[in-house]
Amino acid sequence: MDNIILKKGVEDKIDWDNIEIPKELIESISFDSIIEYQLIPFEEDEKILKVAMVDFDDNDARNALRFYANKKNKQIEVWVVSKEIFELILNKFKNSEIEIDKAVKNFEKESEARKKKKKAKTFKAGAEKLEVIQDAPVAKMVEVIIKNAIAGGSSDIHIEPLEEKIRVRYRVDGVLHSSLFLPKNIGPAIVSRIKILSNLKIDEKRKPQDGRFRIKEKGKFIDFRVSTFPVSQGEKVVMRILEKDDELINLKLLGFRGRDLAKINKVITEPYGIILITGPTGSGKSTTLYSLLKMLNKEGTNIVTLEDPIEYVLEGISQSQVKPEIDYTFAVGLRSILRQDPDIVMVGEIRDSETAELAVHAALTGHLVLSTLHTNTAVGAVSRLVDMGIKSFLLSSALKIVVGQRLVRRICSKCRVKREKIASNVIKMFQEELRDLPKSVFEELGYDPVNEPEKINFYKGTGCRECGNQGMKGRILISEIFDVNKKIDQMIGDNADEHELLAVAKEDGFTTMKQDGIIKVLMGETTVEELQRVTDDESGKEVISAKGE
């Protein structure tokens, strides 16, 4: 192997995080060979080609390397790297744009071949269309779009027709990012391929459709909830990725702490009553509900749910999907559920007065009822239910706890650093917000930010390999827990307004979502800017130092 130079112990000589692999190199070797022999070309000039390799002592890998060297007709430098570095380079090699580009070229070639074939042969009605959308290039494009989303930790995939192209966007940690652009003529084939996977009607383009499908990726099943929607330029598809993660079942990992966590743990042991989760769309209400159901799911308990849609299938729980088009609504389903001898009932959402009335009735007749409601604050749930027609004296007996929540992005733990300078007025605002809270709230923080301002630190993420240079990875809840104690119970029955209820709740240690968010900022879990984005607070705009940090 005279044309091969072995280099060991040089792994740290290259900034692998920021290395860019030329497109020509990516196209010069098959992906199957890379995986099988664990070698990747990463740099070349007129005479030398550099290859990263995990195990130079592997005979098969050396033979493959010799064949590749002869093919390129260059001297090869073999850089022996760890498996971690190999995986890092591999992620760069699996460039979705390049894979899509290959598939697009293949699609265009096969489309041209099909046109010629069509002239020579008459197809049966509909057969050609089905052949197009089941073609390997189209299937490959959809596969790359999906795998790219999973690898990037996306929660949603948006495939949108624009005037001259198709845009693919991924939602990561609550924020949409443009990722891929495809030729306009490929859009209908991709949409049709997704419709086939989801068992939807491929010839129905005038109405919205909903479906779902499942794939197996790296040994585990991942569900996709699919929604198609007719727009001016064609059909838009949104796929929600429902990746089951047992770690998310832990309430503490979700973001509940201290008094709030204790209140939730206590209320789920109650034999009856209503537990409400409130917040806007995308605030993690379903995740919190599933977390509670997982905790409540025991051998001797009958749990029945009504959902729209069923996001996660939980073993041992009877889950039912409502279908308004056949008049199977939350209200209709709730009536039937009560004849199923349930101990615990979960209703996906209280949308109307009939569902609200049935939920209260179920709670008052010995059932624990879990549901969600769209309100801005936890305390606001009381007036919302009264507005729906629930009598206040019934509500006071049925309602046990209301959880208000939002999601904020979490600072990456691998690249978190302290900020150099903080605007003094931001610190003063934080102290003012926290002034009335009991000191027990600050136990996990380790100091009292109101009386010890010199200990206050803010944090940020600088960006690293772990978070894709974003500085943020994952999300965490900021929450408020409105616990209906005896005094509040009486006040609801007496038609007290929100301000009166809030004042009494604060006497019991109630913390608002903003206060909970401030504590999480001080703990280094999120940033002031994130808190400002979610709570519409202006303070985050003044945290940046004069140095332009």
Side-chain angles (χ1 to χ4, degrees):
M1 300 182 75
D2 296 332
N3 61 338
I4 293 179
I5 302 169
L6 180 63
K7 298 177 79 70
K8 287 187 176 182
V10 291
E11 185 179 283
D12 58 350
K13 302 292 184 185
I14 291 181
D15 182 4
W16 301 105
D17 285 310
N18 298 309
I19 192 172
E20 291 187 11
I21 303 174
K23 184 178 178 181
E24 299 75 31
L25 276 185
I26 293 176
E27 293 177 338
S28 71
I29 187 170
S30 74
F31 190 71
D32 290 339
S33 296
I34 290 170
I35 297 299
E36 184 174 354
Y37 303 116
Q38 293 197 297
L39 56 90
I40 300 179
F42 64 89
E43 188 181 315
E44 73 173 335
D45 57 27
E46 291 180 0
K47 296 180 179 179
I48 296 176
L49 172 65
K50 295 181 181 180
V51 176
M53 190 171 181
V54 174
D55 186 7
F56 185 73
D57 295 327
D58 184 327
N59 287 328
D60 291 338
R62 280 213 306 270
N63 289 335
L65 189 63
R66 187 188 294 113
F67 177 80
Y68 186 57
N70 292 335
K71 176 184 172 185
K72 295 293 288 185
N73 196 26
K74 288 184 180 180
Q75 191 172 48
I76 288 186
E77 278 186 8
V78 177
W79 290 53
V80 178
V81 298
S82 65
K83 285 192 175 183
E84 183 186 16
I85 294 297
F86 180 80
E87 286 290 334
L88 176 65
I89 310 170
L90 185 63
N91 285 334
K92 294 178 178 296
F93 209 91
K94 289 190 295 187
N95 188 310
S96 55
E97 289 184 22
I98 292 172
E99 289 191 65
I100 288 285
D101 189 48
K102 286 181 184 176
V104 167
K105 288 176 181 175
N106 289 337
F107 176 80
E108 289 171 347
K109 284 180 185 176
E110 294 193 13
S111 293
E112 192 63 35
R114 192 175 289 105
K115 284 179 184 176
K116 293 177 181 177
K117 187 178 179 182
K118 187 179 178 183
K119 289 178 182 178
K121 184 179 178 181
T122 304
F123 280 81
K124 293 181 180 178
E128 185 183 12
K129 184 185 288 185
L130 189 60
E131 185 183 346
V132 169
I133 59 186
Q134 289 183 328
D135 268 348
V138 176
K140 181 64 177 175
M141 279 185 266
V142 173
E143 180 188 345
V144 170
I145 289 168
I146 288 173
K147 288 193 173 182
N148 199 37
I150 295 169
S154 306
S155 61
D156 300 87
I157 306 169
H158 292 238
I159 301 173
E160 306 162 307
L162 305 180
E163 193 167 341
E164 296 179 350
K165 55 194 171 187
I166 302 296
R167 178 174 66 180
V168 179
R169 293 194 290 173
Y170 299 127
R171 187 177 295 280
V172 181
D173 294 337
V175 180
L176 273 174
H177 302 275
S178 292
S179 181
L180 299 169
F181 290 95
L182 306 172
K184 180 78 171 179
N185 64 316
I186 290 176
I190 286 179
V191 173
S192 295
R193 171 65 182 166
I194 294 169
K195 283 182 176 180
I196 285 178
L197 288 173
S198 312
N199 200 27
L200 300 177
K201 297 177 181 177
I202 62 172
D203 56 346
E204 178 55 83
K205 300 178 181 179
R206 300 167 302 166
K207 294 180 183 178
Q209 295 187 73
D210 294 308
R212 61 191 299 144
F213 65 92
R214 171 179 285 188
I215 66 167
K216 193 172 185 179
E217 177 72 7
K218 293 182 179 179
K220 64 178 178 179
F221 289 105
I222 300 174
D223 291 321
F224 291 81
R225 192 176 80 207
V226 179
S227 171
T228 67
F229 189 75
V231 293
S232 59
Q233 300 295 335
E235 279 187 285
K236 175 177 176 176
V237 175
V238 174
M239 292 185 277
R240 166 67 56 89
I241 302 173
L242 305 171
E243 188 171 0
K244 195 172 178 181
D245 190 339
D246 290 336
E247 282 193 346
L248 293 180
I249 300 304
N250 188 316
L251 288 179
K252 193 166 184 179
L253 286 177
L254 289 179
F256 294 107
R257 288 188 171 84
R259 169 199 177 267
D260 291 355
L261 183 59
K263 292 285 186 185
I264 294 176
N265 284 332
K266 180 178 179 295
V267 79
I268 61 173
T269 64
E270 298 279 341
Y272 69 92
I274 296 178
I275 298 173
L276 279 180
I277 316 294
T278 70
T281 302
S283 59
K285 297 190 299 295
S286 294
T287 303
T288 302
L289 272 183
Y290 280 111
S291 300
L292 294 175
L293 286 176
K294 185 81 172 180
M295 293 168 68
L296 289 164
N297 189 13
K298 295 182 175 66
E299 182 68 29
T301 305
N302 181 22
I303 303 176
V304 188
T305 75
L306 276 175
E307 304 175 54
D308 185 20
I310 296 171
E311 294 195 9
Y312 298 107
V313 176
L314 299 177
E315 192 170 345
I317 294 178
S318 303
Q319 296 172 264
S320 182
Q321 164 89 48
V322 300
K323 294 178 181 177
E325 64 272 17
I326 59 170
D327 200 32
Y328 180 39
T329 61
F330 282 121
V332 171
L334 194 46
R335 282 199 191 91
S336 298
I337 277 181
L338 296 178
R339 293 192 286 271
Q340 289 285 312
D341 186 30
D343 299 298
I344 297 168
V345 175
M346 193 272 266
V347 181
E349 184 184 340
I350 295 177
R351 296 175 179 170
D352 52 56
S353 56
E354 189 179 4
T355 307
E357 191 175 326
L358 286 166
V360 169
H361 172 72
L364 292 175
T365 53
H367 304 91
L368 187 63
V369 179
L370 286 72
S371 191
T372 69
L373 193 66
H374 284 275
T375 61
N376 289 325
T377 63
V379 181
V382 174
S383 55
R384 179 73 193 281
L385 289 168
V386 171
D387 289 343
M388 283 184 170
I390 304 300
K391 292 181 172 58
S392 56
F393 70 90
L394 293 176
L395 182 60
S396 65
S397 301
L399 191 61
K400 295 296 179 185
I401 201 169
V402 185
V403 179
Q405 63 182 57
R406 300 286 189 280
L407 286 171
V408 293
R409 290 186 295 167
R410 192 194 292 261
I411 298 173
C412 173
S413 60
K414 300 291 185 183
C415 62
R416 187 182 72 172
V417 296
K418 289 181 183 178
R419 303 185 95 139
E420 292 180 18
K421 191 176 179 182
I422 311 163
S424 58
N425 60 325
V426 176
I427 293 177
K428 286 179 182 176
M429 186 279 294
F430 273 27
Q431 289 178 300
E432 193 60 39
E433 282 287 339
L434 302 176
R435 194 171 301 282
D436 297 329
L437 293 182
K439 289 189 177 181
S440 59
V441 174
F442 309 130
E443 282 179 5
E444 201 167 350
L445 192 58
Y447 67 94
D448 181 352
V450 177
N451 298 309
E452 299 173 284
E454 70 281 358
K455 293 185 179 180
I456 289 178
N457 285 304
F458 287 1
Y459 299 83
K460 67 174 183 177
T462 57
C464 66
R465 180 193 310 166
E466 188 74 19
C467 61
N469 292 315
Q470 296 296 309
M472 312 289 280
K473 186 177 182 183
R475 289 188 288 177
I476 190 170
L477 287 175
I478 59 172
S479 60
E480 57 186 30
I481 306 291
F482 179 60
D483 179 40
V484 182
N485 57 31
K486 287 183 180 179
K487 191 170 182 180
I488 289 176
D489 183 333
Q490 186 176 345
M491 291 176 70
I492 293 174
D494 293 336
N495 293 308
D497 63 30
E498 281 186 38
H499 297 292
E500 292 171 327
L501 292 172
L502 187 58
V504 173
K506 285 183 176 180
E507 293 174 7
D508 188 39
F510 175 88
T511 57
T512 64
M513 262 184 285
K514 184 177 179 181
Q515 289 170 332
D516 186 50
I518 289 172
I519 292 167
K520 287 184 169 80
V521 168
L522 298 178
M523 291 178 72
E525 291 185 334
T526 190
T527 64
V528 188
E529 292 86 351
E530 269 298 291
L531 180 62
Q532 179 262 324
R533 181 180 69 85
V534 172
T535 62
D536 295 324
D537 175 56
E538 294 295 309
S539 63
K541 296 177 182 178
E542 301 180 46
V543 75
I544 310 301
S545 71
K547 295 180 181 179
E549 184 189 15

